[in-house]
Amino acid sequence: RTRGRALMAQAEEDTACHFFESGDLPLPVPVRGAFEDVREAYELAKKLHPTCGKTQGELDKVSTLLRQLPPPTPPEQVESADVDVLVVGAGTAGIGCALMLTETFGLEKSRVLLVERGEEVG
């Protein structure tokens, strides 16, 4: 738990410095990564001492913080991708997955690519 507290103090300092210097959100990957390191340290501490309520409380706090942070900006290659999802295998499961993504979750059909290496689909 001591390592988690030390990492948290450093992550808070790095975040404050970055935000006050630039005012940018979302946080850059190294700053966000620092909070992910804190979470990993508390998860390890919880495995070593599963009944410690303080560790669980700190783990809950940092997990909530990570969920509230905006996601990192995707790399330029991802932003300019022609598709959002690539489904490999046009068998029953592949077709079902593609249909689920488009019909149930509302992805545009043009943004889901279904590929098959064999000669036939299905």
Side-chain angles (χ1 to χ4, degrees), residues 3-122:
R3 177 165 168 70
R5 285 193 303 241
L7 288 170
M8 184 63 155
Q10 185 63 48
E12 288 171 341
E13 183 179 322
D14 292 348
T15 302
C17 289
H18 168 77
F19 188 72
F20 288 119
E21 288 173 6
S22 67
D24 288 341
L25 283 176
L27 296 173
V29 173
V31 173
R32 184 179 181 85
F35 287 109
E36 290 168 355
D37 290 345
V38 171
R39 186 187 66 221
E40 288 175 14
Y42 279 121
E43 285 174 350
L44 177 60
K46 185 177 181 208
K47 287 178 185 176
L48 295 172
H49 197 309
T51 59
C52 181
K54 289 181 181 180
T55 300
Q56 183 61 50
E58 293 300 317
L59 181 58
D60 291 343
K61 287 178 189 176
V62 76
S63 295
T64 300
L65 173 70
L66 280 168
R67 281 192 301 275
Q68 292 174 347
L69 287 176
T73 306
E76 188 177 313
Q77 299 90 336
V78 173
E79 286 186 2
S80 63
D82 294 332
V83 296
D84 291 326
V85 179
L86 171 64
V87 179
V88 178
T92 307
I95 292 172
C97 178
L99 278 172
M100 182 74 71
L101 290 168
T102 57
E103 301 298 323
T104 304
F105 295 106
L107 270 68
E108 292 180 36
K109 290 181 181 180
S110 64
R111 304 292 299 167
V112 178
L113 179 62
L114 181 64
V115 295
E116 172 61 44
R117 73 177 183 139
E119 295 178 15
E120 296 180 14
V121 172

